[in-house]
Amino acid sequence: MGSRFDDQIAFSVSKPSGMRISPRFLSLKPSPHFLSLPLLSHNPTKPFSLSSSAMESESTCILVLAGKSAADKELANSMKVSNILKLPDVPVVSLLLHEESPNESFRINSYMNSLSNTCFGRFLIWSPRLPSTHDVVSKNFEELPVGSVCVADVQYKGRGRSMNIWESPKGCLMFSFTIQMQDGRIVPLVQYVVSLAMTEAINDVCTKDGVPYLDVRIKWPNDLYLDGLKVGGILCTSTYRSKKFNVSAGLGLNVDNERPTTSLNAILRKLTTVSYQLQREDIVSAFFNKFEIFFNLFATQGFKPLEELYYKTWLHSGQRVIVEEKNDEKDHGRQSMVTIQGLTSSGYLLAIGDDNQMCELHPDGNSFDFFKGLIRRKLT
């Protein structure tokens, strides 16, 4: 695939004046196997039962609202009546209740029936086609209950670096959801909890349905890989308001994409002769069931209880990388070799140099290839 994709680390923090929070933007090496295709190269089939002219217009967006509990369903009805949800650059946002849209391609009933948690994912917004799931939850954060999720079949303004616009083709699982946190010290680490929950969710679905295990691994900080190819990525953004961090977490995963991209089902077909396909609904519900458990641990005890499992899942234990020294002006430009050991408490990479000095690896903010753009800072 000849198109260029710019990966962006999944975390940025917006802060009020006078508050010191360091934003973390990292860049990773591009991969031709990600879930995004250029906007002009894709013309998806529209499954929703509306006129094609309405669906093709970027001035109109359909959002279908659903809830698991009676309270969630009542909220959905209230939102529809008030037409409260808005999207930037979309003049007409039309809200429908689940009962009013029987032809959705995302099986909402199946999804809801598989949820066994108490918070995350229980209020659902689904759309056949929209600019960005992330915009839906981040721009309407105050109107939505914590844990609300937006799922789309197709999005045509997915987030990329340098203001690039990307369309995600059918077959991708694309969703964003809301989290609220109080401890700003651990907010940058929440993307690792999201990554870990997804790898475990895929494993749970495969085990439940008796199909071969898919060894999806985490490429730090925010990518998912299978058989050496990128199959997903995570984006988290946060704003600080009323002494709380409002986090919008987004995840894209290749579930059933057609070539030239790769997908979970494409790999699964190589592993078994059984006629079976992973379904987006099953993966999302399994994700939220797992994420809620992990998040409750994380919110009360930090990332430490999850570290062992995370290190078993990521790709970097013992990895050797070349880094640039930058402890003072005299070090600038000097390179050395280090071995990755794990994560520091702030979420950066912990490494040990050939001089046996422990160090923390930071991005330089300029290099497109992340592992060629690390800066070493010695730990004191």
Side-chain angles (χ1 to χ4, degrees), residues 1-298:
M1 179 175 168
S3 60
R4 177 175 178 268
F5 182 82
D6 287 339
D7 294 326
Q8 183 180 32
I9 184 178
F11 218 87
S12 62
V13 178
S14 300
K15 63 183 179 67
S17 59
M19 187 169 184
R20 297 186 64 188
I21 302 174
S22 298
R24 295 170 172 84
F25 292 101
L26 312 177
S27 297
L28 297 179
K29 188 174 182 179
S31 168
H33 303 284
F34 189 55
L35 54 88
S36 299
L37 295 176
L39 177 62
L40 296 179
S41 67
H42 182 61
N43 183 21
T45 303
K46 315 300 189 299
F48 198 72
S49 56
L50 295 176
S51 68
S52 59
S53 60
M55 285 302 302
E56 289 168 359
S57 172
E58 294 184 7
S59 64
T60 302
C61 181
I62 305 296
L63 300 180
V64 177
L65 310 180
K68 186 172 177 66
S69 69
D72 292 328
K73 294 175 182 177
E74 184 178 343
L75 176 61
N77 186 64
S78 175
M79 285 185 173
K80 182 203 169 181
V81 171
S82 60
N83 198 33
I84 199 170
L85 300 182
K86 306 300 179 185
L87 271 173
D89 304 321
V90 179
V92 181
V93 177
S94 181
L95 304 183
L96 298 176
L97 299 180
H98 173 210
E99 297 76 14
E100 300 170 335
S101 58
N103 296 323
E104 72 271 356
S105 57
F106 186 84
R107 297 172 300 139
I108 294 177
N109 286 333
S110 175
Y111 163 76
M112 289 294 182
N113 290 338
S114 297
L115 280 178
S116 59
N117 58 4
T118 60
C119 176
F120 291 99
R122 293 170 65 92
F123 188 84
L124 170 74
I125 303 168
W126 169 78
S127 178
R129 186 173 184 270
L130 49 60
S132 165
T133 61
H134 211 80
D135 282 346
V136 172
V137 298
S138 63
K139 302 302 183 183
N140 297 283
F141 199 103
E142 301 295 334
E143 312 299 338
L144 298 169
V146 173
S148 296
V149 59
C150 178
V151 181
D153 290 348
V154 172
Q155 63 178 17
Y156 54 87
K157 286 187 179 179
R159 297 286 182 89
R161 197 172 57 162
S162 303
M163 303 300 290
N164 286 333
I165 296 174
W166 300 91
E167 176 169 307
S168 304
K170 287 180 64 61
C172 294
L173 168 59
M174 296 162 292
F175 67 98
S176 299
F177 64 102
T178 61
I179 310 168
Q180 201 162 65
M181 302 176 65
Q182 293 183 318
D183 188 350
R185 295 170 299 177
I186 65 171
V187 168
L189 302 176
V190 73
Q191 61 184 329
Y192 307 149
V193 183
V194 174
S195 302
L196 183 59
M198 179 51 77
T199 62
E200 291 296 296
I202 294 168
N203 186 26
D204 286 352
V205 173
C206 291
T207 300
K208 174 178 174 291
D209 293 342
V211 297
Y213 168 69
L214 293 175
D215 189 22
V216 178
R217 309 296 293 275
I218 298 167
K219 180 181 178 183
W220 186 86
N222 63 328
D223 285 334
L224 300 176
Y225 271 65
L226 178 59
D227 280 6
L229 301 175
K230 184 173 177 179
V231 293
I234 291 90
L235 171 71
C236 298
T237 59
S238 174
T239 58
Y240 185 79
R241 189 170 300 172
S242 301
K243 298 183 178 181
K244 292 182 180 180
F245 292 89
N246 294 335
V247 181
S248 300
L251 197 148
L253 182 69
N254 290 0
V255 176
D256 198 38
N257 304 45
E258 297 179 358
R259 291 185 177 183
T261 55
T262 190
S263 67
L264 302 187
N265 281 334
I267 301 298
L268 192 58
R269 284 191 289 269
K270 297 178 181 179
L271 300 176
T272 180
T273 58
V274 176
S275 179
Y276 171 86
Q277 288 193 337
L278 294 169
Q279 302 296 321
R280 293 180 300 157
E281 301 86 348
D282 297 337
I283 295 175
V284 185
S285 59
F287 167 82
F288 283 122
N289 291 338
K290 186 67 69 174
F291 178 78
E292 187 161 306
I293 296 171
F294 287 173
F295 181 77
N296 288 337
L297 271 175
F298 174 65

